[in-house]
Amino acid sequence: MTKSFVFLCVINCFHCFYPKKHSINASVYPYFFIYLQHEKMRSIMGKTFYRFSAMALLLSLVLALLPANATWAQGDSLLLRYEVKGIVRDAKSNQRLPYASVTIPGKHHSTVTNSDGEFILRTNEPPREVMVSHVGYDTRRTNVTTDGKPLNIRLVPNSIQLKEVLVMANDPMLILQTALDKVKDNYITQPERYRCFYRETAQKRSKYIYIAEAVTDVYKTSYTHRDISDRVSVVKDRRLLSPKASDTLSVKVLGGPTYAIKLDLVKNRDFLLNRMELDLYSLKMGTPVNIDDRLQYVIEIAPYATVDYPLQYGKIYVDHETLAFTRIELSLDVRDRDKATEYMLVSKPVGLRFKPRELSMIVNYKYEDGVTRLNYLRTTFRFSCDWKRHLFNTNFTAVSEVVVTDRDESPVQLIPRRDAYSTRASLYDTATYTIDDDFWSGYNIIEPTESLEKAVKRLMK
């Protein structure tokens, strides 16, 4: 008889954002689950497991046997006929700059550069110029050429000329508390609707074994209210899976398209931005930087208290003038392997060794027309696993990212509940397969890197 194994692990990537003594409705938060199956298994268990925790936002991953067949569906297209491409580099080092914000001045079309510093931005009328910004660089406007050639945009690192600094600049907790008090003034006060692009990928070593993408609509309410009414609907999606029998591990992200509402840490302040959680950290002022030509306080956080779950390292950026949160960078403390593993895993088969390597997140906001809005989210999960008596382990990387590509200025309508994407659903299960090379024509997306583009072509074969 063929021997096979299955294990379920819940990855509590940001468990430490929410203290155990609090109580909330856990059903509103996204979950990821990990199933690991022996490579000889040829089918996925039909049952989905859930573990509800009232203590944190759970990022969950499912390592599962890849199905042998799949289908795709296409949604309606909102055609954006004109496009501009380019590469963003550091003007001094010539290195490419990943995750730079790219917008059309006076319009709401936007995207970010990929990890190779490349971008593609589509509009409904010929763009005259693009505006590019990045943490620590001067914002630059560049005219769009008519020859269709990619733009080569070089950003100059900015040197901070410290002007008058508030007295509280030496009191990071006071800055954070004041920023929390001003959330109601700095963020949206009426419902808005966004168009977003979402992508999740999984790599086994350096090879992509799973890719899923979606264009979504997001309904977001005022920041004075909790996100209970915020909803996401999927406009169009697709997935690609490795056809190789040996690639029996893949990543399933539950509720991934809902990141735009569930990982908005300024609105969902239970996870980190509250006094009880912040008291668990040591805070210190970092070197100030510019974002979008606006001076930012930088507050560095590190674990201070001893608790029975791992905390975070990170940076919190606060606008010097408005005191709005503009960027949050977090990375889970995985130095205590036993604590991190016990915290992340619910169960595993005897003989399996699991080692978490990284759980990190970036949440970026953008100031426009006197209001700060969510702009970009990215999560990265790296881990390795192997079996006892095996000499080598296997490294896996799962990345999820979402960018706001457009905003509706007209009075917006609530997304009907029947159309809302569930935090317990997964593109792994709901998205379908296509071999259409122009699948995203007419939509704004995050330009795939060269390696990802090659992987897409390989998985389409």
Side-chain angles (χ1 to χ4, degrees):
M1 179 181 294
T2 300
K3 190 176 182 180
S4 60
F5 301 96
V6 176
F7 80 87
L8 167 65
C9 310
V10 181
I11 304 304
N12 301 342
C13 300
F14 303 103
H15 186 180
C16 59
F17 293 168
Y18 203 80
K20 292 188 174 183
K21 54 187 176 183
H22 283 197
S23 178
I24 57 176
N25 180 7
S27 63
V28 303
Y29 298 107
Y31 293 80
F32 300 93
F33 297 84
I34 294 182
Y35 301 88
L36 177 60
Q37 297 184 345
H38 194 275
E39 291 188 350
K40 292 184 179 180
M41 291 194 70
R42 290 291 181 264
S43 64
I44 298 178
M45 293 184 65
K47 185 176 181 180
T48 301
F49 293 86
Y50 293 98
R51 177 186 183 221
F52 296 101
S53 166
M55 297 175 290
L57 172 66
L58 306 182
L59 298 185
S60 317
L61 302 168
V62 181
L63 305 180
L65 179 69
L66 297 171
N69 55 351
T71 58
W72 282 93
Q74 279 188 229
D76 295 330
S77 177
L78 295 176
L79 292 180
L80 300 174
R81 296 182 297 163
Y82 305 94
E83 69 178 37
V84 55
K85 294 184 177 182
I87 300 174
V88 180
R89 302 175 186 269
D90 183 301
K92 292 185 176 180
S93 68
N94 205 40
Q95 292 187 347
R96 299 187 179 198
L97 296 177
Y99 322 129
S101 174
V102 184
T103 61
I104 303 294
K107 303 291 183 180
H108 298 316
H109 301 303
S110 62
T111 188
V112 295
T113 57
N114 60 24
S115 57
D116 291 338
E118 302 166 339
F119 71 89
I120 179 172
L121 184 57
R122 299 184 174 101
T123 66
N124 54 8
E125 59 185 44
R128 295 183 178 181
E129 62 178 356
V130 296
M131 184 167 64
V132 182
S133 62
H134 195 285
V135 177
Y137 291 83
D138 291 334
T139 298
R140 179 173 177 180
R141 292 190 179 210
T142 301
N143 291 331
V144 176
T145 59
T146 58
D147 58 12
K149 294 182 179 179
L151 302 177
N152 189 10
I153 301 174
R154 308 173 77 84
L155 299 186
V156 178
N158 52 44
S159 56
I160 301 299
Q161 300 295 327
L162 292 179
K163 306 174 184 178
E164 295 182 3
V165 181
L166 297 179
V167 175
M168 64 180 178
N170 291 321
D171 188 341
M173 182 61 81
L174 179 58
I175 294 176
L176 294 177
Q177 188 59 57
T178 305
L180 288 171
D181 293 339
K182 292 178 70 66
V183 165
K184 63 183 183 299
D185 301 319
N186 286 322
Y187 299 83
I188 63 173
T189 57
Q190 299 294 328
E192 293 188 343
R193 194 151 171 170
Y194 308 139
R195 174 58 57 89
C196 298
F197 177 75
Y198 171 81
R199 176 184 288 140
E200 60 190 40
T201 63
Q203 290 176 267
K204 180 180 179 181
R205 300 186 180 93
S206 61
K207 183 180 70 174
Y208 286 95
I209 58 175
Y210 167 65
I211 302 167
E213 301 170 321
V215 167
T216 65
D217 280 339
V218 176
Y219 177 86
K220 189 174 279 289
T221 56
S222 165
Y223 275 60
T224 59
H225 298 84
R226 298 184 67 90
D227 72 343
I228 190 170
S229 298
D230 293 3
R231 293 176 185 171
V232 175
S233 64
V234 172
V235 176
K236 188 178 184 180
D237 57 21
R238 72 173 182 177
R239 68 169 178 173
L240 299 168
L241 300 168
S242 172
K244 292 186 177 181
S246 61
D247 292 330
T248 55
L249 298 180
S250 188
V251 176
K252 178 192 283 187
V253 180
L254 300 188
T258 66
Y259 273 13
I261 57 178
K262 297 305 177 185
L263 295 185
D264 184 345
L265 298 186
V266 173
K267 190 167 190 183
N268 300 321
R269 295 190 289 276
D270 295 322
F271 306 133
L272 176 65
L273 297 179
N274 63 80
R275 187 58 185 260
M276 185 174 296
E277 278 296 300
L278 290 172
D279 282 342
L280 300 177
Y281 293 88
S282 63
L283 309 176
K284 72 174 184 177
M285 299 302 301
T287 303
V289 299
N290 276 333
I291 299 178
D292 290 326
D293 291 337
R294 299 179 63 86
L295 183 63
Q296 309 289 320
Y297 293 117
V298 179
I299 299 172
E300 299 176 359
I301 69 171
Y304 171 73
T306 300
V307 291
D308 58 356
Y309 54 89
L311 297 175
Q312 303 276 343
Y313 288 93
K315 295 180 180 179
I316 302 174
Y317 298 74
V318 178
D319 188 281
H320 179 270
E321 179 184 350
T322 65
L323 292 176
F325 295 101
T326 55
R327 183 179 173 92
I328 302 172
E329 303 169 357
L330 298 173
S331 180
L332 190 72
D333 182 3
V334 296
R335 292 176 301 172
D336 188 327
R337 176 178 171 179
D338 292 337
K339 181 187 289 187
T341 301
E342 180 181 1
Y343 170 79
M344 295 175 188
L345 300 184
V346 174
S347 63
K348 65 180 181 67
V350 176
L352 179 85
R353 292 182 295 194
F354 177 92
K355 183 177 181 180
R357 296 186 178 275
E358 176 188 349
L359 284 170
S360 61
M361 178 169 65
I362 296 173
V363 185
N364 204 68
Y365 300 84
K366 195 170 187 64
Y367 179 81
E368 182 183 17
D369 301 329
V371 180
T372 301
R373 296 178 175 89
L374 184 69
N375 172 249
Y376 176 69
L377 287 156
R378 180 182 177 90
T379 64
T380 303
F381 174 40
R382 304 182 197 276
F383 66 95
S384 61
C385 56
D386 65 0
W387 298 91
K388 290 182 179 178
R389 296 190 299 273
H390 285 197
L391 294 178
F392 305 102
N393 58 21
T394 303
N395 295 324
F396 292 87
T397 303
V399 175
S400 298
E401 57 184 341
V402 58
V403 62
V404 177
T405 60
D406 204 353
R407 174 165 57 89
D408 189 353
E409 287 188 313
S410 61
V412 298
Q413 299 294 323
L414 175 67
I415 294 175
R417 187 178 297 276
R418 66 178 179 275
D419 297 331
Y421 198 84
S422 171
T423 58
R424 303 175 194 174
S426 170
L427 288 181
Y428 187 98
D429 298 319
T430 61
T432 47
Y433 174 80
T434 185
I435 57 174
D436 183 2
D437 291 334
D438 297 321
F439 187 76
W440 293 122
S441 177
Y443 291 95
N444 269 318
I445 67 171
I446 300 173
E447 176 79 342
T449 61
E450 182 179 359
S451 59
L452 180 59
E453 193 168 11
K454 289 180 178 179
V456 169
K457 293 179 179 178
R458 174 176 59 84
L459 295 176
M460 280 185 176
K461 293 179 180 179

